[in-house]
Structure formats: C-alpha cells, structure tokens
Amino acid sequence: MKKVLITGAAGFLGSHLCDRFIKEGYYVIGMDNLITGNMDNIAHLMPLPTFEFYHHDVTKYVHIPGELHYILHFASPASPIDYLKKPIQTLKVGSLGTHNLLGLALAKKARILVASTSEIYGDPNVHPQSEEYWGNVNCVGPRGVYDEAKRFQEAITMAYHNIHHVETRIVRIFNTYGPRMRLDDGRALPAFMSQALEGKDITVFGDGSQTRSFCYVADLVDGIYRLLLSDYALPMNVGNPVEITIKQFAEEIIALTGTDQKIVYKPLPQDDPKQRCPDITKAKSILGWQPKVDRAEGLRITYQYFKEKLGK
Ligand code: UDP
C-alpha cells in the first residue's frame, strides 16, 4: 500500500485530498497544526485503519517513521483575511515548511507536490494567465506575505528538483469553492452565502467589476491527483477558466438563495487583483484534465452545505 503525507489535512482542500487518496486505496497521514484547519473536516476519516492524524506544525522538523511514497504540501493560511491576521506564519509555512518537506522527500525518495497559487501572478497585466507569465506582485503589500511565500516555495521546489533530483510537482491553484470552506474565512463565496442565509447585506468590494474564475473542489482535486501521477515538473495551472465579475457572482448567489437582501458596496481592499482567469492549455494537453462541474451545480451543492452548517 502506498503511503502519502498530506499537510493542511484538516483544511478545505487538504481534507478533500485526504478523501480522494483514501478512496484510491492509499494509506494517508494527515498533518495539521489547526490554526486555520478544523478537525470536523476529517472526523469521518479518524476511525479508518488507513488514516492517521499528526497534530504538528510543518515549520518544525517533520518526522515520519518508515517508508513514504508521496507528499502533498497544502498547509497554509489561504484566504486574504487569514494571511493578513497571520502574516508571519504564512511566510514560514511557505518557506521553512516547504524546506522541511522537501528535505523529507529527499530522505524518503518520495515524490512531492506543493500547492502554489494564482496569487503568484499578483494583479496580472496578462490575461488569461498562462504559466509563462511572471506576474505583477507588490512584495510589501498586504498580500505579499502569501504571494512571496508561494513564489519562494516554487523556487526552492525547482532547486530541489534540479540539484537533488527530487521528483517535484507544482500546482498553481485558482479560486476554488465547495463544501468545507470556512463560513468566516472572508472569501467571496462563504461571505455571500452566509450573508444571504443570515439576512445581512451582500458586501461587494469595489464596484464588483473585478473578475474571478471559480473551480468546484472535486474538479480541482482531480487535476491535482493527475498532476501528481504525471511526470510534469514545471508549474501547472489548475482552475476553471469560466470568468465572472464579482457583482455577477453576488447576483447568482442572491438568485440561488432567494434572499431579499441587497448588494452594498464596500471599499476594494488594497492590491485586490482586477482580473483572474487561468489558461489551462497545459492541464488539458498534458493531464487530459478539464473541469466538469458547472457553476450552477457546484453552487447548489455548496449552498446545501452552508445551510446545514448554519442550521437553516
Ligand atoms: N469580495 C467581495 N466581498 C466579500 C469578499 C470578497 O466583493 O465579502 C471580493 C474580493 O474583493 C475579490 C473577490 O471577491 O475581488 C474574490 O475574493 P476572495 O477573498 O474570495 O479571493 P481572492 O481571489 O481575492 O483571493
């Protein structure tokens, strides 16, 4: 049985990855320090004989006894309000945490996939964003702690690949949504859905003309799974290329939830990217991957989850 270590296992993406690897017949070690993760996300896995949980901070030395075949590094605060509140932890988990896990991969001869992000493109001047675009990041702006940690992560991962011949994979993840997002993580979808359910105004930042491209979590996990098992070591975008303005997105959620609440406009946060859309040519041709779940279906499933969470 192949053994996989998943860091950030109690988080949104980490917990869905744990589910997928368990389903595929792997032995999964989930690791999390629980600063933004929640054990509820993996409670259903805890009784399984093929799942183990380590409460550990990956910025400290990581010890795993015995053999290890794969590592997926998904530990990090990932929503803008989380990394604004925890800037130093964000920088450390992307840099020191990645270094520890690359060292572990080298020692165990394990293949490692690291979670990078569309944030490495910053507020992009090129649209849509292909992997060749170098980005437009304000390193000392409020988002710089996340963006630069992830840019460092990509650099050190490629260095371990080139110098130590570690089998590395880098996924650049674009906006993703689905069940197990935190209601209070401040991102557009949980904010809009919880506001609709709690009878509060829908807060659109700026004039709502900024764009995002939202990928349903099961599609994203499938892209990551395929990338891990591929032999492609350069960074790869995985995301849904259907682009929408944030105002349209808010309107879709108002229609879906049937709320009487209205949109109110709040100031646009500093360095908020004006547009974001992945070029997924590489994922299509190299992984044979593209998203399957359209937004209407993904939003319905996610709304069910938020309704249950809020007891509505
Ligand atoms: N946003 C918004 N209202 C909210 C939360 C977010 O209008 O209550 C906007 C935010 O300014 C950004 C977009 O929605 O332009 C997506 O934000 P999110 O935090 O979900 O992710 P980002 O893509 O910025 O990392």
Side-chain angles (χ1 to χ4, degrees), residues 80 143 175 186-188 191-192 203-205 210 212 246 272 276:
R143 301 170 86 106
N175 292 66
R187 285 194 259 208
F192 297 163
T203 55
V204 166
F205 299 160
Q210 69 273 31
R212 294 295 186 271
I246 292 301
D272 197 286
R276 182 183 284 158

